[in-house]
Amino acid sequence: AYLIPLMSQLAEDRSKKIIILVPVRELAEQVKQEVEKLGSAARIKTAVITGGKSYRWQIQDTEQAQIVVATPG
């Protein structure tokens, strides 16, 4: 429910970046998938940051992403 208003803000101002914090890794992946579905027409790039993966690649992904989905810790 919150993704559509966020994406409309990104469409108006491409310099904005948004971070979405979720409690668990599985939910982060699900949210990323939904963002990609809804944002594909607007060419919104998305990245996920979670534990248990190489931070080097995750950081590189975030440099071009407009929406970052992450888990704390």
Side-chain angles (χ1 to χ4, degrees):
Y2 57 88
L3 290 176
I4 295 172
L6 292 176
M7 289 185 190
S8 69
Q9 288 181 10
L10 288 176
E12 293 173 11
D13 184 359
R14 302 294 267 180
S15 68
K16 288 185 179 181
K17 292 193 178 224
I18 296 170
I19 185 166
I20 302 170
L21 291 176
V22 295
V24 293
R25 184 182 312 159
E26 294 80 11
L27 183 56
E29 291 296 333
Q30 291 175 4
V31 171
K32 180 184 182 246
Q33 290 173 3
E34 291 303 314
V35 170
E36 287 175 339
K37 285 181 198 174
L38 295 171
S40 63
R43 296 182 182 164
I44 294 173
K45 295 183 180 182
T46 309
V48 173
I49 299 177
T50 59
K53 294 182 181 178
S54 169
Y55 284 112
R56 180 180 181 197
W57 299 112
Q58 293 182 75
I59 290 170
Q60 284 182 342
D61 289 344
T62 62
E63 290 173 355
Q64 295 182 3
Q66 293 164 291
I67 296 179
V68 176
V69 184
T71 59

